[in-house]
Amino acid sequence: MRDPYAAAYVAGAVGTGALGLLVSVRNASLGHPPPYAARHIARQVLSRLLRRRMSRHEASRWAFALRAGYGPLLGMGWGLVRRRTSKWTLLQSGVLLGLGVLAFERAAFPIFKATALANTWSRAEHVWLFAQTAVFGIVTEATMRWLVKEETSATA
């Protein structure tokens, strides 16, 4: 891919897709969606913004839209800073991205009042948030490497 921003956008979208596959496993493992499930965040934040309670169906639709925008934007942000980690292993670089997303979300959730307070979450919910951000990071970084490798091979 010639445009590095397009590659980063695609990588973030692929990472989001992988996360989408993990969500059903996460919810089954927990026995319920966690407080940071996209539909809960959509319902919390958008209900306040729209000044009306959103239905579960509306929240699910908005959750899809939020994920569709959020993941690719995170990928683009990563594309701007990842050159510093290009010599690292995939796992190191991907987990670093995941930790960055985790730190951002842990800071943003209370600011936007998007979730219940983190001290009310179960240990398993904390573990799953780490796991899902790590999966997003690793898959996003793997996709970036594949796209950049493809471009490097094509120009060599």
Side-chain angles (χ1 to χ4, degrees), residues 87-115:
K87 300 289 185 222
W88 294 11
T89 67
L90 168 63
L91 189 61
Q92 291 169 327
S93 192
V95 169
L96 179 64
L97 170 56
L99 288 172
V101 172
L102 177 66
F104 172 74
E105 290 183 350
R106 292 296 302 263
F109 291 162
I111 290 170
F112 293 106
K113 296 178 184 163
T115 65

mmCIF file of all heavy atoms in Angstrom, residues 87-115:
data_model
loop_
_atom_site.group_PDB
_atom_site.id
_atom_site.type_symbol
_atom_site.label_atom_id
_atom_site.label_comp_id
_atom_site.label_asym_id
_atom_site.label_seq_id
_atom_site.Cartn_x
_atom_site.Cartn_y
_atom_site.Cartn_z
ATOM 1 N N LYS A 87 11.921 -2.092 14.755
ATOM 2 C CA LYS A 87 12.939 -3.136 14.943
ATOM 3 C C LYS A 87 12.561 -4.105 16.066
ATOM 4 O O LYS A 87 13.229 -5.107 16.260
ATOM 5 C CB LYS A 87 14.297 -2.496 15.263
ATOM 6 C CG LYS A 87 14.805 -1.570 14.185
ATOM 7 C CD LYS A 87 15.221 -2.340 12.960
ATOM 8 C CE LYS A 87 15.841 -1.397 11.947
ATOM 9 N NZ LYS A 87 15.426 -1.639 10.607
ATOM 10 N N TRP A 88 11.522 -3.803 16.801
ATOM 11 C CA TRP A 88 11.069 -4.678 17.875
ATOM 12 C C TRP A 88 10.361 -5.893 17.279
ATOM 13 O O TRP A 88 9.940 -5.875 16.124
ATOM 14 C CB TRP A 88 10.101 -3.946 18.783
ATOM 15 C CG TRP A 88 10.669 -2.810 19.571
ATOM 16 C CD1 TRP A 88 11.892 -2.223 19.424
ATOM 17 C CD2 TRP A 88 10.023 -2.110 20.622
ATOM 18 N NE1 TRP A 88 12.034 -1.198 20.314
ATOM 19 C CE2 TRP A 88 10.911 -1.106 21.065
ATOM 20 C CE3 TRP A 88 8.783 -2.219 21.228
ATOM 21 C CZ2 TRP A 88 10.584 -0.235 22.098
ATOM 22 C CZ3 TRP A 88 8.457 -1.354 22.253
ATOM 23 C CH2 TRP A 88 9.355 -0.383 22.685
ATOM 24 N N THR A 89 10.170 -6.918 18.083
ATOM 25 C CA THR A 89 9.413 -8.074 17.614
ATOM 26 C C THR A 89 7.939 -7.676 17.486
ATOM 27 O O THR A 89 7.496 -6.680 18.078
ATOM 28 C CB THR A 89 9.509 -9.259 18.600
ATOM 29 O OG1 THR A 89 8.847 -8.910 19.812
ATOM 30 C CG2 THR A 89 10.964 -9.648 18.866
ATOM 31 N N LEU A 90 7.218 -8.456 16.736
ATOM 32 C CA LEU A 90 5.779 -8.221 16.572
ATOM 33 C C LEU A 90 5.083 -8.196 17.928
ATOM 34 O O LEU A 90 4.280 -7.307 18.210
ATOM 35 C CB LEU A 90 5.165 -9.305 15.678
ATOM 36 C CG LEU A 90 3.641 -9.374 15.637
ATOM 37 C CD1 LEU A 90 3.056 -8.093 15.063
ATOM 38 C CD2 LEU A 90 3.188 -10.579 14.835
ATOM 39 N N LEU A 91 5.402 -9.153 18.773
ATOM 40 C CA LEU A 91 4.756 -9.232 20.084
ATOM 41 C C LEU A 91 5.062 -7.989 20.923
ATOM 42 O O LEU A 91 4.162 -7.398 21.521
ATOM 43 C CB LEU A 91 5.201 -10.508 20.805
ATOM 44 C CG LEU A 91 4.456 -10.830 22.093
ATOM 45 C CD1 LEU A 91 2.970 -11.032 21.829
ATOM 46 C CD2 LEU A 91 5.054 -12.061 22.751
ATOM 47 N N GLN A 92 6.327 -7.579 20.959
ATOM 48 C CA GLN A 92 6.695 -6.394 21.750
ATOM 49 C C GLN A 92 5.977 -5.145 21.245
ATOM 50 O O GLN A 92 5.401 -4.383 22.021
ATOM 51 C CB GLN A 92 8.207 -6.157 21.703
ATOM 52 C CG GLN A 92 9.018 -7.193 22.425
ATOM 53 C CD GLN A 92 10.502 -7.051 22.128
ATOM 54 O OE1 GLN A 92 10.909 -6.659 21.031
ATOM 55 N NE2 GLN A 92 11.327 -7.390 23.116
ATOM 56 N N SER A 93 6.029 -4.946 19.954
ATOM 57 C CA SER A 93 5.423 -3.755 19.364
ATOM 58 C C SER A 93 3.900 -3.785 19.492
ATOM 59 O O SER A 93 3.273 -2.774 19.843
ATOM 60 C CB SER A 93 5.841 -3.660 17.893
ATOM 61 O OG SER A 93 5.523 -2.415 17.363
ATOM 62 N N GLY A 94 3.299 -4.935 19.241
ATOM 63 C CA GLY A 94 1.847 -5.057 19.341
ATOM 64 C C GLY A 94 1.337 -4.876 20.756
ATOM 65 O O GLY A 94 0.331 -4.204 20.993
ATOM 66 N N VAL A 95 2.052 -5.461 21.721
ATOM 67 C CA VAL A 95 1.644 -5.293 23.118
ATOM 68 C C VAL A 95 1.822 -3.839 23.550
ATOM 69 O O VAL A 95 1.001 -3.306 24.303
ATOM 70 C CB VAL A 95 2.396 -6.274 24.051
ATOM 71 C CG1 VAL A 95 2.189 -5.922 25.517
ATOM 72 C CG2 VAL A 95 1.923 -7.707 23.776
ATOM 73 N N LEU A 96 2.860 -3.167 23.061
ATOM 74 C CA LEU A 96 3.025 -1.750 23.371
ATOM 75 C C LEU A 96 1.824 -0.951 22.874
ATOM 76 O O LEU A 96 1.283 -0.108 23.596
ATOM 77 C CB LEU A 96 4.312 -1.191 22.766
ATOM 78 C CG LEU A 96 4.528 0.297 23.025
ATOM 79 C CD1 LEU A 96 4.709 0.574 24.517
ATOM 80 C CD2 LEU A 96 5.734 0.797 22.237
ATOM 81 N N LEU A 97 1.383 -1.223 21.651
ATOM 82 C CA LEU A 97 0.177 -0.556 21.136
ATOM 83 C C LEU A 97 -1.012 -0.879 22.035
ATOM 84 O O LEU A 97 -1.774 0.013 22.422
ATOM 85 C CB LEU A 97 -0.117 -0.969 19.691
ATOM 86 C CG LEU A 97 -1.475 -0.537 19.125
ATOM 87 C CD1 LEU A 97 -1.674 0.974 19.219
ATOM 88 C CD2 LEU A 97 -1.624 -1.023 17.689
ATOM 89 N N GLY A 98 -1.177 -2.141 22.381
ATOM 90 C CA GLY A 98 -2.278 -2.539 23.245
ATOM 91 C C GLY A 98 -2.236 -1.842 24.592
ATOM 92 O O GLY A 98 -3.263 -1.374 25.100
ATOM 93 N N LEU A 99 -1.044 -1.713 25.176
ATOM 94 C CA LEU A 99 -0.914 -1.018 26.457
ATOM 95 C C LEU A 99 -1.240 0.464 26.317
ATOM 96 O O LEU A 99 -1.831 1.066 27.218
ATOM 97 C CB LEU A 99 0.494 -1.206 27.031
ATOM 98 C CG LEU A 99 0.809 -2.600 27.559
ATOM 99 C CD1 LEU A 99 2.291 -2.710 27.925
ATOM 100 C CD2 LEU A 99 -0.075 -2.959 28.740
ATOM 101 N N GLY A 100 -0.873 1.046 25.179
ATOM 102 C CA GLY A 100 -1.219 2.442 24.926
ATOM 103 C C GLY A 100 -2.726 2.633 24.843
ATOM 104 O O GLY A 100 -3.282 3.582 25.414
ATOM 105 N N VAL A 101 -3.398 1.724 24.159
ATOM 106 C CA VAL A 101 -4.862 1.783 24.066
ATOM 107 C C VAL A 101 -5.476 1.576 25.446
ATOM 108 O O VAL A 101 -6.403 2.294 25.840
ATOM 109 C CB VAL A 101 -5.395 0.737 23.051
ATOM 110 C CG1 VAL A 101 -6.912 0.658 23.094
ATOM 111 C CG2 VAL A 101 -4.915 1.072 21.639
ATOM 112 N N LEU A 102 -4.945 0.618 26.185
ATOM 113 C CA LEU A 102 -5.442 0.356 27.534
ATOM 114 C C LEU A 102 -5.303 1.602 28.415
ATOM 115 O O LEU A 102 -6.256 1.991 29.097
ATOM 116 C CB LEU A 102 -4.683 -0.819 28.157
ATOM 117 C CG LEU A 102 -5.047 -1.180 29.595
ATOM 118 C CD1 LEU A 102 -6.479 -1.693 29.677
ATOM 119 C CD2 LEU A 102 -4.075 -2.221 30.128
ATOM 120 N N ALA A 103 -4.146 2.233 28.386
ATOM 121 C CA ALA A 103 -3.928 3.436 29.196
ATOM 122 C C ALA A 103 -4.881 4.557 28.763
ATOM 123 O O ALA A 103 -5.468 5.242 29.615
ATOM 124 C CB ALA A 103 -2.474 3.898 29.072
ATOM 125 N N PHE A 104 -5.041 4.726 27.455
ATOM 126 C CA PHE A 104 -5.961 5.751 26.954
ATOM 127 C C PHE A 104 -7.381 5.483 27.431
ATOM 128 O O PHE A 104 -8.065 6.386 27.923
ATOM 129 C CB PHE A 104 -5.907 5.805 25.428
ATOM 130 C CG PHE A 104 -6.965 6.689 24.837
ATOM 131 C CD1 PHE A 104 -6.856 8.060 24.918
ATOM 132 C CD2 PHE A 104 -8.087 6.146 24.227
ATOM 133 C CE1 PHE A 104 -7.841 8.888 24.390
ATOM 134 C CE2 PHE A 104 -9.074 6.953 23.699
ATOM 135 C CZ PHE A 104 -8.953 8.335 23.783
ATOM 136 N N GLU A 105 -7.829 4.253 27.295
ATOM 137 C CA GLU A 105 -9.201 3.924 27.694
ATOM 138 C C GLU A 105 -9.391 4.044 29.201
ATOM 139 O O GLU A 105 -10.414 4.567 29.652
ATOM 140 C CB GLU A 105 -9.578 2.523 27.192
ATOM 141 C CG GLU A 105 -9.732 2.498 25.686
ATOM 142 C CD GLU A 105 -10.177 1.173 25.120
ATOM 143 O OE1 GLU A 105 -10.205 0.156 25.864
ATOM 144 O OE2 GLU A 105 -10.498 1.143 23.926
ATOM 145 N N ARG A 106 -8.421 3.597 29.974
ATOM 146 C CA ARG A 106 -8.538 3.702 31.427
ATOM 147 C C ARG A 106 -8.606 5.163 31.866
ATOM 148 O O ARG A 106 -9.250 5.486 32.853
ATOM 149 C CB ARG A 106 -7.380 2.994 32.124
ATOM 150 C CG ARG A 106 -7.379 1.479 31.976
ATOM 151 C CD ARG A 106 -8.571 0.800 32.621
ATOM 152 N NE ARG A 106 -8.697 1.076 34.021
ATOM 153 C CZ ARG A 106 -8.280 0.304 35.001
ATOM 154 N NH1 ARG A 106 -7.712 -0.851 34.718
ATOM 155 N NH2 ARG A 106 -8.451 0.645 36.248
ATOM 156 N N ALA A 107 -7.954 6.053 31.123
ATOM 157 C CA ALA A 107 -8.026 7.490 31.437
ATOM 158 C C ALA A 107 -9.322 8.107 30.910
ATOM 159 O O ALA A 107 -9.936 8.942 31.584
ATOM 160 C CB ALA A 107 -6.820 8.218 30.845
ATOM 161 N N ALA A 108 -9.745 7.689 29.726
ATOM 162 C CA ALA A 108 -10.912 8.311 29.073
ATOM 163 C C ALA A 108 -12.244 7.871 29.681
ATOM 164 O O ALA A 108 -13.171 8.684 29.753
ATOM 165 C CB ALA A 108 -10.900 7.997 27.581
ATOM 166 N N PHE A 109 -12.358 6.622 30.104
ATOM 167 C CA PHE A 109 -13.643 6.140 30.622
ATOM 168 C C PHE A 109 -14.185 7.023 31.749
ATOM 169 O O PHE A 109 -15.335 7.455 31.690
ATOM 170 C CB PHE A 109 -13.551 4.688 31.084
ATOM 171 C CG PHE A 109 -13.374 3.667 29.985
ATOM 172 C CD1 PHE A 109 -12.916 2.398 30.283
ATOM 173 C CD2 PHE A 109 -13.668 3.955 28.661
ATOM 174 C CE1 PHE A 109 -12.761 1.437 29.292
ATOM 175 C CE2 PHE A 109 -13.516 3.015 27.661
ATOM 176 C CZ PHE A 109 -13.055 1.745 27.979
ATOM 177 N N PRO A 110 -13.387 7.325 32.762
ATOM 178 C CA PRO A 110 -13.944 8.179 33.829
ATOM 179 C C PRO A 110 -14.176 9.628 33.381
ATOM 180 O O PRO A 110 -15.142 10.258 33.806
ATOM 181 C CB PRO A 110 -12.905 8.126 34.940
ATOM 182 C CG PRO A 110 -11.785 7.309 34.469
ATOM 183 C CD PRO A 110 -12.093 6.792 33.116
ATOM 184 N N ILE A 111 -13.320 10.142 32.523
ATOM 185 C CA ILE A 111 -13.482 11.523 32.055
ATOM 186 C C ILE A 111 -14.820 11.697 31.346
ATOM 187 O O ILE A 111 -15.537 12.669 31.560
ATOM 188 C CB ILE A 111 -12.311 11.937 31.127
ATOM 189 C CG1 ILE A 111 -11.033 12.066 31.941
ATOM 190 C CG2 ILE A 111 -12.627 13.230 30.381
ATOM 191 C CD1 ILE A 111 -9.775 12.227 31.111
ATOM 192 N N PHE A 112 -15.164 10.738 30.491
ATOM 193 C CA PHE A 112 -16.411 10.812 29.727
ATOM 194 C C PHE A 112 -17.580 10.125 30.437
ATOM 195 O O PHE A 112 -18.666 10.035 29.877
ATOM 196 C CB PHE A 112 -16.219 10.205 28.334
ATOM 197 C CG PHE A 112 -15.290 11.016 27.476
ATOM 198 C CD1 PHE A 112 -14.007 10.572 27.226
ATOM 199 C CD2 PHE A 112 -15.698 12.225 26.957
ATOM 200 C CE1 PHE A 112 -13.136 11.325 26.448
ATOM 201 C CE2 PHE A 112 -14.838 12.978 26.175
ATOM 202 C CZ PHE A 112 -13.552 12.530 25.926
ATOM 203 N N LYS A 113 -17.312 9.608 31.635
ATOM 204 C CA LYS A 113 -18.324 8.875 32.397
ATOM 205 C C LYS A 113 -18.955 7.792 31.519
ATOM 206 O O LYS A 113 -20.173 7.627 31.458
ATOM 207 C CB LYS A 113 -19.381 9.829 32.950
ATOM 208 C CG LYS A 113 -18.805 10.809 33.933
ATOM 209 C CD LYS A 113 -19.846 11.767 34.435
ATOM 210 C CE LYS A 113 -19.162 12.785 35.333
ATOM 211 N NZ LYS A 113 -19.961 13.955 35.544
ATOM 212 N N ALA A 114 -18.076 7.086 30.827
ATOM 213 C CA ALA A 114 -18.508 6.088 29.852
ATOM 214 C C ALA A 114 -18.803 4.736 30.472
ATOM 215 O O ALA A 114 -19.523 3.927 29.874
ATOM 216 C CB ALA A 114 -17.431 5.937 28.772
ATOM 217 N N THR A 115 -18.235 4.461 31.630
ATOM 218 C CA THR A 115 -18.416 3.163 32.281
ATOM 219 C C THR A 115 -18.611 3.367 33.779
ATOM 220 O O THR A 115 -18.373 4.456 34.304
ATOM 221 C CB THR A 115 -17.170 2.263 32.108
ATOM 222 O OG1 THR A 115 -16.066 2.854 32.798
ATOM 223 C CG2 THR A 115 -16.810 2.046 30.649
#
